[in-house]
Amino acid sequence: MSTKTKAELAEAVLRHLTVIDATESPDSDDEAHVIDAYENKFQEIRAHGVNLTYWKRDSIPGEVFLILRDLVA
């Protein structure tokens, strides 16, 4: 499966929360806020001693993309 970027995750989160609709692009501040939330969650998950994040921070696997969208949202 393909990988997604942090920007794609931010856009998906903002759409999921209905901050933006299908025709809008994220505001840079909103996108940065969501990416920061993702970064914090990524670190939090890694800090528990068991590495559940097998992917690189900037390359999100499609298999976990929607799970991360919901977690960050």
Side-chain angles (χ1 to χ4, degrees):
M1 194 174 251
S2 65
T3 61
K4 305 280 187 173
T5 65
K6 292 186 287 187
E8 289 173 303
L9 178 64
E11 187 172 330
V13 168
L14 294 168
R15 281 211 171 92
H16 184 68
L17 296 173
T18 64
V19 173
I20 61 172
D21 65 28
T23 62
E24 291 179 294
S25 296
D27 174 89
S28 60
D29 289 338
D30 290 339
E31 182 178 295
H33 179 73
V34 173
I35 289 173
D36 187 51
Y38 165 67
E39 294 281 349
N40 290 335
K41 279 292 174 198
F42 191 88
Q43 286 303 108
E44 183 180 318
I45 293 167
R46 281 218 159 159
H48 286 288
V50 177
N51 188 7
L52 300 174
T53 54
Y54 59 88
W55 62 93
K56 292 183 176 157
R57 180 176 294 158
D58 298 326
S59 184
I60 303 164
E63 296 87 355
V64 298
F65 185 76
L66 292 178
I67 296 165
L68 287 173
R69 180 204 65 189
D70 293 348
L71 181 66
V72 172

